[in-house]
Amino acid sequence: MTMQEATFSLLNKLRSIYSDSEASQITDWVMEHLTGSKKTERILYKHSAITNAEEVILKEYIERLLQHEPVQYVLNEAWFCGAKLYVDKNVLIPRPETEELVEWILTSSIDNLKILDIGTGSGCIPIALKKKNTTAEVWACDISERALLVAKKNAATIGTDISFLQLDILDKENWNQLPQFDIIVSNPPYVPEKDKDTMNENVLKYEPATALFVPDDDALLFYKTIAEFGKQHLKENGFLYFEIHEDLGNTTMQLLQSLGYKAELKKDMQQKDRMIKSGLIK
């Protein structure tokens, strides 16, 4: 099978479940991962044969992709803030809107900060923050031991010094394990269970439910808990940064204000309410 034949075979199969643009993007990603060659090189050598081993792997990739498995899990890689991260089914796939949250933090941060990321998953947020703000002391926690293994692997690969802790932030008895911080950031579970009916199969079937869903009757559970935690663990003039559900911006703002915080709501590039910055009112 030539490079061109392999590319067309993958592309045509993906078009059965993805739009043309998505199919093309996934094809390019898979072929680069498989062959180690950029698109221009693959075009130049389009009549060259791929190896038997590559053909076997490609067949496996196609089978998994046609089951709606996200390409990031198939390839065990995802890009975030310019860094290639390892990901698997124990962590959420990093999203572009979370990159915007990181950029917001970086534009308003200074040197020698102490930062905590709650529910770190792949470690994408603390790794990106530490890369850009090397003087920061960065901590990260997660309830999942397997997620922390992924985060630690990424931090080691990229060369970022981060303190990782396994703990459940909802259990207040764990709070004394943590010091005070200048910045506490979190992209916590915020999708109500009732939203499952409208979600894509690739998310529902493959991404970790514990990192996505909250009870319908307590959708702001994590925001309330982290805000209460912040009362004890935010330094003077410190801030909370949250990624939020696009439909719950005003509701989340009202919750934070009721708990003694001033809050700022920010839209993402899609003009959806997606981020909140908040500090305690003095």
Side-chain angles (χ1 to χ4, degrees):
M1 181 182 287
T2 66
M3 185 81 74
Q4 186 178 61
E5 288 170 340
T7 301
F8 286 164
S9 174
L10 174 59
L11 180 61
N12 289 330
K13 287 182 170 66
L14 290 178
R15 280 174 171 158
S16 67
I17 60 171
Y18 289 104
S19 67
D20 284 354
S21 61
E22 287 177 304
S24 179
Q25 185 177 35
I26 293 170
T27 296
D28 186 44
W29 196 346
V30 170
M31 291 304 297
E32 181 173 333
H33 180 90
L34 182 71
T35 65
S37 299
K38 298 286 187 183
K39 191 171 186 176
T40 51
E41 295 175 280
R42 298 196 306 272
I43 292 172
L44 188 61
Y45 298 104
K46 63 184 179 182
H47 297 304
S48 299
I50 65 172
T51 67
N52 290 336
E54 288 171 342
E55 202 168 328
V56 170
I57 294 169
L58 179 60
K59 183 180 178 183
E60 178 203 331
Y61 286 171
I62 290 172
E63 289 174 357
R64 293 172 65 183
L65 289 165
L66 291 178
Q67 294 297 315
H68 296 273
E69 184 172 354
V71 63
Q72 292 91 341
Y73 291 151
V74 174
L75 304 182
N76 291 126
E77 66 182 36
W79 288 88
F80 186 84
C81 291
K84 184 166 73 173
L85 303 178
Y86 173 88
V87 294
D88 61 26
K89 294 177 188 177
N90 294 299
V91 299
L92 291 181
I93 297 165
R95 264 58 173 193
E97 51 266 33
T98 309
E99 293 189 9
E100 294 183 58
L101 177 64
V102 168
E103 290 301 322
W104 194 18
I105 296 170
L106 289 169
T107 57
S108 56
S109 63
I110 55 175
D111 292 340
N112 301 308
L113 296 176
K114 186 174 284 191
I115 301 172
L116 171 66
D117 177 38
I118 297 174
T120 196
S122 66
C124 61
I125 291 175
I127 288 169
L129 290 172
K130 182 64 175 179
K131 273 183 65 185
K132 295 288 180 69
N133 193 340
T134 56
T135 65
E137 180 184 339
V138 182
W139 294 53
C141 65
D142 202 290
I143 192 173
S144 167
E145 181 180 6
R146 291 182 177 180
L148 285 173
L149 288 174
V150 172
K152 289 175 182 178
K153 178 175 182 173
N154 284 323
T157 300
I158 294 170
T160 47
D161 182 17
I162 295 166
S163 299
F164 290 101
L165 280 177
Q166 182 185 2
L167 61 81
D168 178 3
I169 198 67
L170 297 180
D171 184 350
K172 294 183 179 182
E173 292 186 3
N174 291 324
W175 291 2
N176 60 10
Q177 297 181 47
L178 294 162
Q180 289 193 314
F181 297 92
D182 298 286
I183 291 174
I184 297 171
V185 55
S186 185
N187 177 18
Y190 58 67
V191 182
E193 291 277 350
K194 61 180 174 59
D195 285 7
K196 284 183 178 181
D197 295 340
T198 62
M199 294 179 70
N200 292 332
E201 184 179 351
N202 59 345
V203 175
L204 272 181
K205 190 175 177 181
Y206 294 101
E207 300 206 50
T210 53
L212 285 169
F213 297 107
V214 286
D216 290 337
D217 62 353
D218 202 3
L220 300 182
L221 168 65
F222 282 91
Y223 299 98
K224 181 180 179 181
T225 301
I226 294 169
E228 293 287 2
F229 171 80
K231 287 184 175 182
Q232 300 177 20
H233 289 267
L234 266 183
K235 292 183 180 181
E236 188 176 1
N237 299 319
F239 288 98
L240 301 177
Y241 286 86
F242 291 119
E243 185 171 324
I244 63 169
H245 191 296
E246 64 189 74
D247 295 332
L248 298 176
N250 290 328
T251 307
T252 310
M253 290 275 286
Q254 290 167 8
L255 169 71
L256 291 168
Q257 289 162 356
S258 73
L259 293 172
Y261 287 85
K262 56 183 184 292
E264 178 185 353
L265 182 62
K266 186 176 175 67
K267 295 183 185 294
D268 64 13
M269 286 190 293
Q270 307 299 320
Q271 295 305 302
K272 296 177 179 178
D273 291 341
R274 185 63 73 181
M275 296 161 271
I276 286 179
K277 173 184 179 181
S278 58
L280 283 165
I281 298 171
K282 297 177 183 179

